[in-house]
Amino acid sequence: MTMCAPLDARRVVAVTALAGQRPVGLVVGSFFSVSLDPAQVGFCVGISSTSWPLVRAAPCFAVNVLAAGQQDVAAALSRPGAAKFAGVAWRASDGVPVIDDALACLECTLVAEHSAGDHRIVVAGVRRARVLRRADPLVFHQRRFATVAGAGHGAGDGTGGGDEVRLHRR
C-alpha cells in the first residue's frame, strides 16, 4: 500500500507451483502468519495477476522466502509472461518448485480466497515447513530491495540442510 510504504519493510516471498512439468510463480506483496493450529499463512495477490490462476490450479504450491542477494530471482518472477523462470535455478521437491538458495520453503494447499478491493487475500494451509539455510532475508522497502543485516542469526556457512519445522497439529 503506497501510503504505508515508508513504514513497511516486507520480506520477499515467491509463490511457486508446477503447471504440468512447467514451473509457474509470482512474487507477492504481503505475506503473513494466519494461524499456528492449524498452521496457516496468508498472502495478497493482485486481481490482475495472470500467474495466480496457474498456481491456484495446482494441487499444492510453495512459498519460498528469498534471501539477500536474490533480487534477480524476485525481479524475474515479478515480470509478466510465461518465461519467468528463465535463469532462475530451482528443483522439484514433493511436487512443488523450490527456488535454489531460498531461506525457507513452506509447502501449502489452498484453504480460502477472499476479495479485498484490487487484491485477493489467500489463506494457505502449511503441510510442511523447512528452513533451507540461515542468512539475511531479502526485503522490499520504499520501492526497492534491501537487506536486514544480522537477521539471519549468525548465518554461519549458510547450509541449513533442510531442517524441517515442527507444525502444530490438532
Side-chain angles (χ1 to χ4, degrees), residues 2-96:
T2 305
M3 65 184 155
C4 293
L7 307 173
D8 187 23
R10 298 176 302 259
R11 79 192 98 203
V12 179
V13 302
V15 179
T16 59
L18 290 173
Q21 297 299 312
R22 182 175 62 101
V24 294
L26 66 154
V27 172
V28 297
S30 293
F31 171 73
F32 45 91
S33 175
V34 173
S35 171
L36 290 175
D37 190 10
Q40 294 179 341
V41 295
F43 52 88
C44 296
V45 178
I47 59 172
S48 62
S49 173
T50 56
S51 298
W52 172 242
L54 299 171
V55 172
R56 181 197 308 119
C60 54
F61 54 88
V63 175
N64 297 268
V65 180
L66 300 184
Q70 290 191 296
Q71 294 90 327
D72 291 345
V73 172
L77 293 177
S78 296
R79 286 192 298 256
K84 291 182 176 204
F85 276 82
V88 174
W90 63 280
R91 65 192 178 288
S93 176
D94 293 325
V96 296

Side-chain angles (χ1 to χ4, degrees), residues 145-170:
F145 293 114
T147 60
V148 179
H153 307 292
D157 68 1
T159 56
D163 299 333
E164 192 156 338
V165 177
R166 187 172 176 179
L167 301 175
H168 295 274
R169 297 283 185 220
R170 290 183 202 239

